[in-house]
């Protein structure tokens, strides 16, 4: 099972460094953090993936961030789903 967390409903200003700092402040461990961005504008799409070292740490991250308030919104955190295949075997262009 993957230990990746989907973190959604992020404001566009949030960076991977912001998320890493939040994790450190709560003594949580992540192997990597990736904020998903529009390849043309580089603006955040409002979600990120956090790769946890194991399932236990993934669950701690989810408990900490799911429905946590940030500005005027509630964050969403849950186990990431595997990527869906593209229709007709097409592949997404490299960013």
């Amino acid at each position: 099972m993957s230990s990746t967390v989907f973190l959604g409903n992020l404001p566009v200003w949030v960076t991977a460094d912001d998320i890493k700092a939040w994790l450190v402040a709560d003594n949580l461990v992540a192997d990597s953090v990736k904020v998903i961005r529009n390849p043309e504008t580089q603006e955040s799409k409002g979600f990120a993936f956090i790769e946890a070292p194991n399932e236990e740490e993934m669950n701690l991250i989810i408990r900490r961030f799911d429905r946590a308030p940030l500005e005027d919104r509630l964050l969403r955190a849950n186990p990431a789903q595997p990527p869906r295949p593209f229709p007709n075997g097409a592949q997404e262009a490299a960013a």
Side-chain angles (χ1 to χ4, degrees):
M1 178 180 176
S2 173
S3 297
T4 304
V5 176
F6 169 85
L7 183 61
N9 207 22
L10 294 167
V12 296
W13 57 262
V14 172
T15 66
D17 287 339
D18 293 324
I19 296 169
K20 289 174 188 174
W22 300 338
L23 292 165
V24 167
D26 287 322
N27 295 317
L28 297 168
V29 178
D31 292 337
S32 67
V33 175
K34 180 170 183 161
V35 174
I36 306 305
R37 301 191 170 282
N38 178 316
E40 293 179 15
T41 65
Q42 291 305 305
E43 183 175 80
S44 169
K45 289 187 173 186
F47 64 96
F49 293 99
I50 303 169
E51 186 66 40
N54 54 54
E55 191 173 342
E56 180 182 348
E57 195 71 18
M58 176 188 76
N59 289 327
L60 291 170
I61 292 168
I62 290 170
R63 277 194 292 255
R64 165 58 183 90
F65 290 106
D66 192 40
R67 302 194 52 79
L70 181 61
E71 293 185 340
D72 59 345
R73 59 186 76 207
L74 295 177
L75 301 181
R76 297 302 306 182
N78 48 53
Q81 300 297 311
R84 287 186 240 160
F86 287 94
N88 302 326
Q91 293 195 358
E92 184 176 20

